[in-house]
Amino acid sequence: MAANTYLTGIKPTGDFHLGNYVGAIKPALAAAHEYDTYYFIADYHALNTIKDAEELRHSIRSGAATWLACGLDPERTIVYQQSHVPETFELTTILSALTPKGLMNRAHAYKAARDRNVAAGVTDLDAGINMGLFNYPILMAADILIMEGTHVPVGRDQTQHIEYTADIAGYFNHRFGESYSFPTPKGVIDDSDASILPGVDGRKMSKSYDNHIPLFLPENKLKKAIRRIPTDSTPVEEPKDPDGSVPFQLLQHFADADTVADVRKRLQAGGMGWGELKNELFEAVNAEIGPKRERYEELMANPEEIDAILRKGSERARVRARATLDRVRAAIGVG
């Protein structure tokens, strides 16, 4: 059992945005220098929403290419495709036999789906809800436990995921712990200002708010997206509050400390207008994202390279998964 295994799932449903890059991708890449890291493309989770084979195939490759382009080293981090580790799904079946249905009834995603039916006046509260969504927490627990994950990054609003995994591991450990026990995973939660990127409207950047800037926008479209960020009508020569400005808040995540300090001083002194600030922001974002955009496009033009990396990573992941499942099977009496 590894003492510190950092594991995260990458759900291939839609393009990433700058908020994902700052809040999830960069911290996870940094974790590879401290932990034994396993990052997987959660393609079976995506089946709950993606029903088109070509769309799913593209999304799997796009998700992997994004992380690779941003600096994920497949030699340091084991990056794999969930569907290529069948041990995960055998463990899901085993854990399903131990998990109370009542626990699933209280899962946030399931309750939210039922609440939407209530709001829409649908009498069948389970209408449109498939078993993949209902059983999602069990598969998620299997994803973590099959690799004996000890540290899992989650947002503050996703702590239930880790709590459920710990509960499900506890059910198994209580019954079979004399033979084998899963480690209890801990949620790695970072909701500090440094990890939360504001969207163009000032709220947390999110596709659900439609306030996001896609990560790999072409240079000309990136510039337009930044220029469209709302600002007030304060004249160029008037002093401005940097911290009340979305462009300045974004700049702090992409520019170096000296640039940020200089821009702050000029805004407060009335020596810079919002347009010039947005130009500074564009230059800073494009300088950091530009090379990654180029690498992403190279990878997507060579899908066989992505597939080979995922295939090799999945083979490495299965070594850990098989060892865990062997111990589980022996503990429950079928090994």
Side-chain angles (χ1 to χ4, degrees):
M1 182 188 302
N4 291 290
T5 299
Y6 188 103
L7 180 142
T8 191
I10 304 159
K11 196 170 181 180
T13 51
D15 295 330
F16 292 79
H17 53 72
L18 293 181
N20 299 137
Y21 173 70
V22 169
I25 295 176
K26 289 182 71 175
L29 295 178
H33 298 281
E34 182 178 354
Y35 299 95
D36 186 13
T37 45
Y38 285 71
Y39 299 164
F40 66 95
I41 306 297
D43 49 359
Y44 269 22
H45 284 301
L47 282 175
N48 289 325
T49 53
I50 299 179
K51 308 300 182 185
D52 179 84
E54 284 304 316
E55 180 185 355
L56 181 57
R57 191 171 293 113
H58 170 82
S59 295
I60 290 167
R61 289 170 175 157
S62 178
T66 296
W67 282 74
L68 292 166
C70 288
L72 186 149
D73 179 357
E75 296 302 319
R76 178 188 292 271
T77 294
I78 295 180
V79 55
Y80 61 98
Q81 196 167 327
Q82 180 191 37
S83 60
H84 292 182
V85 182
E87 291 81 4
T88 300
F89 309 107
E90 182 173 347
L91 180 58
T92 300
T93 298
I94 294 169
L95 298 178
S96 295
L98 298 168
T99 303
K101 177 179 178 292
L103 188 69
M104 298 299 97
N105 290 342
R106 296 188 292 275
H108 291 330
Y110 174 59
K111 290 174 66 178
R114 286 172 62 90
D115 289 344
R116 286 192 293 271
N117 283 333
V118 171
V122 178
T123 56
D124 178 4
L125 298 186
D126 284 328
I129 300 174
N130 60 42
M131 289 304 296
L133 184 144
F134 185 73
N135 289 330
Y136 178 95
I138 302 177
L139 176 55
M140 183 196 61
D143 289 324
I144 297 169
L145 299 177
I146 196 68
M147 299 302 172
E148 297 186 314
T150 58
H151 295 73
V152 182
V154 292
R156 178 67 64 180
D157 58 347
Q158 298 174 320
T159 55
Q160 189 190 63
H161 295 333
I162 300 303
E163 293 166 358
Y164 269 36
T165 300
D167 287 343
I168 292 170
Y171 299 141
F172 181 93
N173 294 347
H174 177 74
R175 185 66 60 89
F176 303 108
E178 290 186 5
S179 299
Y180 171 72
S181 291
F182 289 113
T184 301
K186 299 178 181 178
V188 179
I189 302 169
D190 183 1
D191 58 358
S192 64
D193 291 342
S195 69
I196 298 176
L197 201 71
V200 297
D201 60 359
R203 294 181 293 175
K204 178 180 177 180
M205 188 173 289
S206 171
K207 282 183 286 187
S208 63
Y209 294 153
D210 195 25
N211 67 352
H212 63 290
I213 298 176
L215 180 57
F216 293 134
L217 274 180
E219 187 171 320
N220 62 330
K221 292 186 177 180
L222 174 62
K223 180 178 287 188
K224 289 179 181 178
I226 289 174
R227 295 290 298 181
R228 286 197 296 265
I229 297 174
T231 49
D232 62 34
S233 58
T234 305
V236 173
E237 65 276 8
E238 292 293 326
K240 301 167 188 68
D241 174 18
D243 297 316
S245 157
V246 168
F248 183 80
Q249 293 174 44
L250 293 172
L251 184 72
Q252 294 179 92
H253 292 275
F254 291 95
D256 60 74
D258 288 342
T259 298
V260 171
D262 179 63
V263 169
R264 176 186 289 277
K265 182 178 179 180
R266 292 170 63 196
L267 286 169
Q268 291 175 330
M272 174 182 278
W274 295 130
E276 188 178 355
L277 169 60
K278 292 177 182 179
N279 289 339
E280 288 274 3
L281 174 60
F282 165 73
E283 294 297 336
V285 173
N286 197 54
E288 181 163 347
I289 299 301
K292 297 173 175 60
R293 181 199 304 125
E294 183 177 347
R295 176 57 178 153
Y296 171 82
E297 292 170 353
E298 290 175 355
L299 285 163
M300 291 302 289
N302 295 279
E304 64 279 358
E305 181 179 353
I306 303 171
D307 294 346
I309 290 171
L310 289 176
R311 186 164 52 249
K312 181 178 178 181
S314 298
E315 290 169 357
R316 293 172 65 194
R318 288 197 69 187
V319 174
R320 169 79 72 92
R322 280 196 297 268
T324 301
L325 188 61
D326 285 346
R327 290 190 283 269
V328 170
R329 288 173 61 89
I332 66 174
V334 300

